[in-house]
Amino acid sequence: MSGTLSRNFSPQNLRHVLRHGISTAGFCCVIAVGLAISGRGAWAPQFVYSLSIGLISWLVVDIGRLLLAGRTSRPWPQGWRGVVLVIVGIVVGFLGGNVIGDAWTGKPLLEFLSFSRDKLASTVLITVVAGVVICYFYYSLGKSKYLEGEIALAQRDATDARLKLLETQLEPHMLFNTLANLRVLIATDPPRAVAMLDRLNSYLRVTLSGSRALAHPLAAEFQRLGDYLELMSVRMGPRLAYRLELPDELREVPVPPLLLQPLVENAIRHGLEPKVEGGEIAVGARRDGRRLVLEVRDTGVGIAIDPHDSTPRPDSGFGLSQVRERLATAYGEQDGLQLAAGPAGGTCVTINLPLSA
């Protein structure tokens, strides 16, 4: 119970209550001006009555809704409880406000009871209409913000589910390729097959022991990428060389898991393996203003260029298409991946991601 009350009376909710009180005072000022113009008395007494009624009703309704909210995240009690709360708030505000106003003006206590029927009816009507309008305004405003929060939460959950689906697609893709290569090595080079199996065991242990978070530090991405490249170097031998360049200040930057591995797979399959002597893969990270720039460069056979178009054609295989979809899901529909021919041959894939700070 105490935990629920602490959450309902959180600093954020109390700030909302305070804002409601300030705006309620503004409404009361406008009502007092209207009553004074209509000839119901001087502005100052009307303001005292209006402000007293409004602030008491505000306290009863706003504090009451937080007490009645319970464990739900809705900003207003549902059903009959909300209606009763408004009625109680208006009644208590009307009686208490008149007591304060009578005391301030020196009139008899609850003087409104001696009003004529028409004046009493108009006084009550003004109080009820003003109370209902103000409560409905705050209810609509709170409901709108609540629904916006629910929509944002649903969109985040949908994005989370989509990223999880992409990750489940990427990991089996890598495993199938590795197991196929391992099958060949078992028959042709058993010692290297054993070494490759040890590397695979290490890679799987690191992967499966990690959490299924939607993001992890860039250092973890490079560590898993290092395990993968070591695994590939067992199969390719001296035909594969690699460098991993990660500055210390970027180690804790969060990125989606398995973001770089498909690019490295593509570099090996389409760049280095078709080349007799193999080549080198370099993976680097750097900061460019408020952007994180990730690069995967290889010295392989390069990419095909359309003679009528200077723009390189992106590979349509699994790796690049999945990375593009992963980036779009995590960061929105933006072209954060570029594919280009390397200056000295080979291919360079660049990813640009926003930095939070």
Side-chain angles (χ1 to χ4, degrees), residues 53-65:
I53 294 172
L55 291 184
I56 292 176
S57 298
W58 155 67
L59 282 173
V60 172
V61 173
D62 243 355
I63 300 300
R65 73 178 179 85

Side-chain angles (χ1 to χ4, degrees), residues 70-345:
R71 298 180 180 275
T72 66
S73 58
R74 294 181 179 273
W76 198 273
Q78 300 298 301
W80 62 270
R81 292 187 177 186
V83 176
V84 170
L85 178 61
V86 172
I87 294 174
V88 170
I90 293 175
V91 171
V92 173
F94 182 76
L95 295 176
N98 273 280
V99 168
I100 294 175
D102 292 341
W104 188 85
T105 58
K107 295 179 180 179
L109 190 64
L110 300 180
E111 188 206 16
F112 70 87
L113 295 176
S114 62
F115 288 171
S116 65
R117 179 176 299 178
D118 291 343
K119 186 176 181 180
L120 178 60
S122 63
T123 301
V124 172
L125 180 62
I126 291 172
T127 303
V128 171
V129 171
V132 170
V133 169
I134 293 173
C135 288
Y136 182 76
F137 171 76
Y138 291 139
Y139 167 75
S140 300
L141 188 63
K143 184 178 181 180
S144 176
K145 290 182 178 179
Y146 169 76
L147 291 177
E148 287 177 1
E150 291 295 298
I151 291 173
L153 181 61
Q155 290 175 338
R156 189 187 68 184
D157 290 343
T159 300
D160 293 353
R162 195 177 179 194
L163 285 175
K164 293 297 184 185
L165 176 60
L166 290 175
E167 187 168 345
T168 60
Q169 291 174 323
L170 286 169
E171 288 179 351
H173 179 76
M174 174 266 175
L175 291 177
F176 293 153
N177 288 339
T178 303
L179 291 174
N181 294 325
L182 184 60
R183 183 177 183 275
V184 174
L185 284 179
I186 289 175
T188 60
D189 195 341
R192 290 181 63 193
V194 172
M196 190 176 187
L197 188 59
D198 290 339
R199 288 293 183 182
L200 178 60
N201 180 61
S202 175
Y203 174 85
L204 292 177
R205 183 169 61 250
V206 173
T207 301
L208 297 177
S209 63
S211 64
R212 291 286 188 173
L214 294 172
H216 65 178
L218 189 56
E221 182 74 4
F222 269 69
Q223 179 182 357
R224 184 152 60 173
L225 190 59
D227 290 335
Y228 171 75
L229 285 168
E230 281 294 321
L231 187 63
M232 292 297 100
S233 66
V234 173
R235 177 172 63 86
M236 296 184 64
R239 296 180 62 235
L240 171 62
Y242 68 88
R243 290 183 291 116
L244 301 178
E245 303 164 348
L246 176 61
D248 290 340
E249 65 270 17
L250 298 178
R251 293 181 61 83
E252 299 303 318
V253 174
V255 295
L258 284 174
L259 183 64
L260 297 175
Q261 182 179 308
L263 303 179
V264 173
E265 284 192 58
N266 262 13
I268 293 174
R269 183 179 308 110
H270 302 294
L272 271 57
E273 285 189 333
K275 197 172 182 180
V276 175
E277 67 273 23
E280 181 185 60
I281 293 177
V283 183
R286 58 184 171 87
R287 178 190 290 267
D288 183 11
R290 298 182 62 85
R291 309 286 296 180
L292 171 66
V293 181
L294 303 173
E295 288 184 341
V296 177
R297 305 182 300 275
D298 69 73
T299 60
V301 297
I303 57 177
I305 303 290
D306 188 333
H308 303 291
D309 187 356
S310 61
T311 303
R313 291 181 178 274
D315 180 77
S316 59
F318 180 85
L320 288 183
S321 63
Q322 289 299 90
V323 172
R324 289 185 189 276
E325 186 175 357
R326 201 168 180 79
L327 290 173
T329 302
Y331 300 100
E333 296 295 335
Q334 52 182 323
D335 189 13
L337 186 148
Q338 291 84 39
L339 181 68

